[in-house]
Amino acid sequence: MRKGVWFGFAIGMLSAALLTGCSKKYEEVSVTNLQSESQKEQPTEEIRINSSTEQSSGEETESGEYYTKEERIEKDGKIRSYLTGEMVDASIGNRRPVAVMMSNDKEALPQYGINRAGVVYEAPVEGGMNRYMAIIEDYDNLKRIGSVRSCRTYYTYFAREFDAVYAHFGQSTFAKPYLSNLDHINGLEAIGSVAYFRSSDRKSPHNAYTSGERLNKSIEKLGFEKEYNSEYKGHYLFAKTGHEVTLKDAESVKDAYKVYPGYVYNKPWFEYHEDDGLYYRFQYGKAHEGDEGQIKVKNIILQYCPSAHYATTEYLNINVHNDSFGMYVTGGRAIPVKWSKDGEFGPTHYYDMENNEIILNQGKTWVCIVSAQDSPKVEIYGKQ
């Protein structure tokens, strides 16, 4: 439901962020004696967020701006995805997705299966590196997914927000107690030899992978529920078919043709393409390719979170519960947002500066978790 929310924070920190200006063959090998990582184009109606909608001439659209839970019904064997808002086979859309931890080390590229993800979380880990959590619902025919890496505490909360089965290969010491809060498939437990394999074309720890078949076998063997919890209501609000969120005339709107999240190690950025309305992903100075081509998404969310380190270690303690700020990017524009998490395990909701919950365009979403102290490093540029 669209609703208002009160925040007591100042938003001055956002101003600095708004600037005008391999193909090797592989084979599977056993995972029996593995060590933990920690050990080693169509006319549409515009939606302007804070203004009434206007129907495009000659375009047949559905009433209302976004889909409600009550409108999520199966039709002709299809149902609307909780991840993308698009119609998918009911057998896929009604099934809980998997949330797979993925490496972003150069030695592990490309990431296999990441192009299929409806939602990807990117967050920093120790040493200035980033790690991904790819949330995938259509994974059955994927022969290779990963490489799979270990868990960090905050990722358990992200996976839980989507009622996903969490797939990881080990965990940090600090994350271990939190794994009991969700269904998970751990490569260091007995299920590991069922769920994962090592590829011969990568060196450890960058060569642990899973597959659609292995994930399904593991879910079956562990006795996890396959369908969404009956109380799950989805995570995002999605624009209805025939509508388009443009952010035009929204408060504090800026053009956003290039978006730099400010991560220092892989130095990623997104470039907006007007022809298809998607943001193309780059990192390490070139296109960010998954095994199925360059990564492209419809929406970007920059979520600023307070962070610190656990004691004297390099491990980050990222606070994903206390209300804070961020940016929402879609359709070549960006607006500042405020976010608030629905209880300990509920979804995170994002609101514009007038306290309206944002509506996402149908399609894939990339969520960048940015330490609040690093938010000034975020750069957003208009068309050049």
Side-chain angles (χ1 to χ4, degrees):
M1 171 180 292
R2 252 183 129 182
K3 61 181 181 181
V5 64
W6 171 258
F7 290 78
F9 295 99
I11 62 172
M13 69 176 185
L14 294 178
S15 60
L18 293 173
L19 305 182
T20 55
C22 60
S23 60
K24 292 182 181 178
K25 294 184 178 179
Y26 71 96
E27 59 183 0
E28 299 182 11
V29 296
S30 173
V31 298
T32 305
N33 297 315
L34 299 176
Q35 293 183 336
S36 165
E37 283 179 46
S38 56
Q39 297 169 333
K40 188 202 62 173
E41 196 110 12
Q42 183 179 0
T44 57
E45 177 183 347
E46 293 185 359
I47 298 176
R48 300 185 179 181
I49 292 294
N50 62 343
S51 64
S52 59
T53 60
E54 301 175 3
Q55 184 170 328
S56 299
S57 176
E59 176 69 13
E60 183 177 344
T61 62
E62 301 178 81
S63 60
E65 295 182 351
Y66 60 89
Y67 291 105
T68 65
K69 178 175 172 55
E70 291 72 28
E71 292 174 300
R72 189 179 184 269
I73 57 176
E74 185 176 336
K75 182 178 181 181
D76 300 326
K78 303 279 188 178
I79 200 163
R80 201 160 298 282
S81 167
Y82 279 132
L83 301 184
T84 67
E86 299 169 325
M87 295 299 283
V88 298
D89 289 341
S91 60
I92 292 173
N94 284 326
R95 178 182 64 180
R96 297 170 69 192
V98 294
V100 184
M101 289 299 299
M102 291 190 180
S103 173
N104 194 38
D105 296 66
K106 287 184 177 181
E107 296 85 351
L109 300 179
Q111 290 97 4
Y112 287 79
I114 197 169
N115 299 87
R116 296 283 189 92
V119 178
V120 175
Y121 276 77
E122 179 177 18
V125 293
E126 56 279 358
M129 290 293 298
N130 288 356
R131 196 160 287 182
Y132 302 135
M133 186 181 75
I135 309 178
I136 312 171
E137 58 186 355
D138 182 12
Y139 59 84
D140 293 289
N141 67 343
L142 292 176
K143 304 295 185 184
R144 188 178 186 183
I145 305 172
S147 66
V148 183
R149 296 299 296 269
S150 64
C151 168
R152 298 296 179 268
T153 304
Y154 34 96
Y155 278 109
T156 66
Y157 288 106
F158 301 148
R160 181 73 182 263
E161 291 191 23
F162 292 84
D163 196 24
V165 176
Y166 184 50
H168 62 104
F169 208 105
Q171 64 283 320
S172 70
T173 300
F174 303 100
K176 191 171 184 178
Y178 295 86
L179 288 169
S180 61
N181 294 327
L182 76 170
D183 292 338
H184 66 102
I185 306 172
N186 191 345
L188 295 184
E189 295 180 348
I191 196 66
S193 59
V194 176
Y196 303 102
F197 66 92
R198 290 285 189 183
S199 167
S200 60
D201 63 349
R202 298 287 189 277
K203 293 181 180 181
S204 179
H206 308 297
N207 63 347
Y209 294 89
T210 186
S211 67
E213 181 180 6
R214 285 175 175 269
L215 287 170
N216 283 327
K217 283 183 178 179
S218 300
I219 291 169
E220 183 73 33
K221 190 167 184 176
L222 291 169
F224 295 156
E225 290 291 336
K226 298 178 182 179
E227 295 191 352
Y228 283 103
N229 186 295
S230 60
E231 296 183 0
Y232 185 69
K233 299 180 180 180
H235 194 293
Y236 301 125
L237 301 182
F238 286 103
K240 288 193 171 183
T241 301
H243 296 66
E244 185 81 8
V245 177
T246 68
L247 303 181
K248 186 177 180 181
D249 300 329
E251 185 177 343
S252 302
V253 65
K254 294 285 184 180
D255 287 344
Y257 278 70
K258 270 194 175 182
V259 179
Y260 295 83
Y263 300 128
V264 297
Y265 191 86
N266 58 329
K267 295 180 171 58
W269 75 94
F270 299 85
E271 295 185 2
Y272 180 64
H273 287 212
E274 292 179 334
D275 56 343
D276 59 8
L278 300 177
Y279 284 89
Y280 287 58
R281 165 103 180 170
F282 298 79
Q283 67 169 0
Y284 295 122
K286 59 184 180 180
H288 185 176
E289 302 272 349
D291 65 304
E292 295 180 333
Q294 187 172 5
I295 295 169
K296 312 167 190 175
V297 298
K298 187 68 175 180
N299 311 293
I300 304 168
I301 295 173
L302 302 164
Q303 182 174 338
Y304 305 156
C305 302
S307 69
H309 291 89
Y310 283 104
T312 58
T313 74
E314 283 192 294
Y315 290 100
L316 288 172
N317 181 8
I318 298 179
N319 186 331
V320 298
H321 288 89
N322 289 358
D323 303 346
S324 191
F325 296 90
M327 301 294 297
Y328 169 40
V329 185
T330 194
R333 297 186 179 96
I335 60 170
V337 295
K338 304 169 285 190
W339 64 264
S340 179
K341 187 169 169 59
D342 188 7
E344 184 176 7
F345 300 115
T348 299
H349 299 281
Y350 305 88
Y351 304 87
D352 64 19
M353 293 297 105
E354 294 184 342
N355 298 325
N356 301 304
E357 186 166 358
I358 67 170
I359 303 171
L360 300 187
N361 281 310
Q362 293 183 33
K364 299 176 181 179
T365 299
W366 193 283
V367 184
C368 293
I369 303 299
V370 178
S371 294
Q373 58 267 36
D374 292 330
S375 61
K377 297 178 183 177
V378 174
E379 298 177 357
I380 298 177
Y381 295 94
K383 191 174 183 179
Q384 295 178 337

